[in-house]
Amino acid sequence: MSSNIEIKHIEKSKIASVDFNNLPFGSVFSDHMLTCTFKNGKWESPVIEPYSPISLDPSAKIFHYGQSIFEGMKAYKDAEGNTLLFRPLENCKRLNKSAERLVIPQIPEEFFMQGLKELLKVDEAWIPTNEGSSLYIRPFMFASGNGFHASPANEYKFMICTAPSGAYFAGKVNVLIEEKYARAANGGVGFAKAGGNYAAQFYPTQLAIEKGYNQVIWTDDNTHEYIEEAGAMNIFVRINDTLITSPTNDRILDGITRKSILQLAEDLNMAVEVRKISVAEVIVAAQSGALKEMFGTGTAAVISPISGFGFQEKDYELPTLEMPFASILKKAITDIQTNKSEDPYGWRVQL
C-alpha cells in the first residue's frame, strides 16, 4: 500500500520559522497533508502533498448538507526519538462508524493507517519533543461532490493534516451545567464525530462564557436531569472514592481516552461505575463534601480538571486535593503514550 502513495515534497520547509517552545494548540501546521478522493464509486490512491488551500465548487455538498466528520489523534516522540501513536486503529474504526451514519463511504483501514504512517515519516521533524507537546493529527472526510439536491454526494475527500501543538487547556476549567440546550438527541448523530455537532455547541457555550464560565456540561436532551459530556469531552465525576462516568449511547461519543481511562482506573484499583449521573446527585454530593473531583477526557486535553461548576444561578467549588485521581490517571496514560512506562494493553504503536 505505502508504495502506491505518491509523495510530492514541499520545495522549502517552513519549520525554521516555528517556535517549538511556544506552541499554541492546532494553529501551526506542518509542511505536508494527505489527500484521498472517492470518485466513480471507489477510493483512489492517497497523495501526500504540500499543505495548501484546497479548491471546491460553490455547490459542493459539504457547504449545503453538512456531510463532514473528523477524528483527533496525536503522535509523540519518546526519549530515544521513536515516533509513537496511541490506539490509532480505534480512530479509524470510529471514523468509519461516523461515516456510516452520515452516508459517507468508509475509508479502507490500510489507506488510513499506511497513509498516516507515511505522512508522519515525511513530516517527522514536526513532532515536538518538549514535555506536554505533541503532533496533533486531524483526519477528516467531507462531501466534495457538487449539487443542490438534498442527497448524499457522489464524491468525497479524505484528508489528514497535522499541527505541532502545546497544551489544549491551561489549568482547570469552570463549567456551567446546561438546563435548556442539548448537545445531541436520541437517534441522532451525537455518537459520531460530525462537524455539525460541534457547530451546534458554540452558541450555548458562548452564552456560558458570557456568564464567566469556560465550558458547558451537557445534560440529556429530554429531561436535562442527567449529565453526559463536558464541552467536547467525556466527563468523569468522583464521589467519595468512586469514579463515575455516563454510559455511551446515541448522544455520547465513545471516547478513546474515556475507555482508556476506565481500563487504567480499574487496574489501579479505583472503584469505577459506568451509569447515569443525575444533576441532583452531583449537587447533593457537592453540598455534603462528597464530591471530590470532576474532569473531562479527550484526545486534545487528555484530562482536563474542573475546578467548579454553576447550576441555577449558584456556583459550587471543588476541593483542592493533594493527590487527585485526575493527576494519577493523566500520568498513567501519558506515560504509556510517550513510552515512559510499560504498555500491557498494546495501545502504543511505534512507527
Side-chain angles (χ1 to χ4, degrees):
M1 170 61 205
S2 61
S3 61
N4 295 329
I5 298 178
E6 182 182 2
I7 301 176
K8 302 175 183 178
H9 289 277
I10 196 166
E11 290 185 8
K12 181 176 174 57
S13 174
K14 57 182 181 290
I15 195 169
S17 65
V18 177
D19 180 3
F20 279 80
N21 294 313
N22 187 30
L23 287 170
F25 184 88
S27 57
V28 174
F29 304 103
S30 311
D31 282 332
H32 297 87
M33 62 186 187
L34 180 137
T35 303
C36 189
T37 301
F38 181 88
K39 192 174 182 179
N40 299 322
K42 66 177 183 179
W43 286 103
E44 299 176 348
S45 295
V47 176
I48 293 172
E49 57 192 339
Y51 182 92
S52 62
I54 58 175
S55 177
L56 291 171
D57 192 282
S59 69
K61 291 200 173 185
I62 175 57
F63 300 133
H64 307 280
Y65 304 113
Q67 281 181 290
S68 172
I69 57 176
F70 69 96
E71 278 295 319
M73 310 170 65
K74 287 180 178 178
Y76 306 86
K77 285 283 190 182
D78 67 10
E80 285 72 47
N82 299 306
T83 298
L84 309 168
L85 293 168
F86 184 73
R87 307 188 75 174
L89 279 175
E90 291 295 319
N91 291 100
C92 181
K93 291 174 183 176
R94 191 171 63 183
L95 185 70
N96 279 331
K97 185 178 179 181
S98 298
E100 181 180 26
R101 181 62 178 83
L102 272 76
V103 199
I104 296 173
Q106 297 186 26
I107 190 74
E109 184 180 294
E110 64 270 22
F111 279 36
F112 184 99
M113 289 301 301
Q114 289 300 322
L116 173 59
K117 290 177 180 179
E118 290 299 315
L119 178 62
L120 293 179
K121 287 178 185 177
V122 171
D123 277 347
E124 183 181 5
W126 285 86
I127 305 173
T129 56
N130 294 1
E131 189 73 25
S133 296
S134 60
L135 185 72
Y136 185 77
I137 302 166
R138 174 54 60 89
F140 58 105
M141 300 166 72
F142 62 91
S144 55
N146 304 333
F148 292 148
H149 189 269
S151 61
N154 59 0
E155 293 184 15
Y156 296 86
K157 293 283 188 186
F158 166 66
M159 300 182 67
I160 305 177
C161 298
T162 64
S165 298
Y168 187 66
F169 285 121
K172 297 181 179 181
V173 295
N174 195 30
V175 298
L176 178 67
I177 295 179
E178 182 57 53
E179 300 177 65
K180 176 182 178 182
Y181 297 99
R183 176 189 173 275
N186 286 330
V189 296
F191 68 90
K193 282 190 75 73
N197 289 347
Y198 297 81
Q201 290 185 30
F202 294 158
Y203 178 66
T205 302
Q206 187 58 43
L207 294 179
I209 290 170
E210 290 171 1
K211 293 179 180 179
Y213 300 93
N214 304 106
Q215 266 293 356
V216 167
I217 287 185
W218 301 105
T219 50
D220 69 285
D221 64 306
N222 186 25
T223 65
H224 295 288
E225 292 178 6
Y226 298 94
I227 67 173
E228 297 195 330
E229 292 201 352
M233 299 178 288
N234 295 115
I235 188 167
F236 284 78
V237 174
R238 176 185 169 188
I239 297 179
N240 291 318
D241 283 333
T242 300
L243 203 57
I244 312 165
T245 193
S246 304
T248 56
N249 54 38
D250 282 354
R251 304 181 304 275
I252 297 176
L253 187 72
D254 185 12
I256 296 164
T257 306
R258 171 190 176 276
K259 64 178 70 176
S260 304
I261 291 297
L262 284 171
Q263 182 68 65
L264 289 168
E266 290 177 3
D267 292 348
L268 288 167
N269 295 317
M270 295 176 181
V272 176
E273 295 179 3
V274 179
R275 62 169 175 82
K276 287 185 174 182
I277 314 164
S278 71
V279 176
E281 179 183 9
V282 172
I283 298 297
V284 169
Q287 291 171 337
S288 69
L291 181 64
K292 305 301 183 184
E293 294 182 74
M294 297 172 70
F295 56 85
T297 64
T299 298
V302 185
I303 290 181
S304 182
I306 293 169
S307 59
F309 66 91
F311 180 67
Q312 292 185 346
E313 306 299 325
K314 185 174 180 180
D315 288 327
Y316 299 83
E317 294 299 317
L318 274 78
T320 299
L321 305 177
E322 186 174 337
M323 190 59 68
F325 284 7
S327 296
I328 296 169
L329 290 165
K330 184 171 185 177
K331 185 178 188 306
I333 192 171
T334 55
D335 280 357
I336 291 175
Q337 290 171 335
T338 55
N339 201 15
K340 292 178 181 175
S341 69
E342 293 298 316
D343 175 19
Y345 314 103
W347 291 343
R348 189 170 58 228
V349 174
Q350 181 175 322
L351 266 60

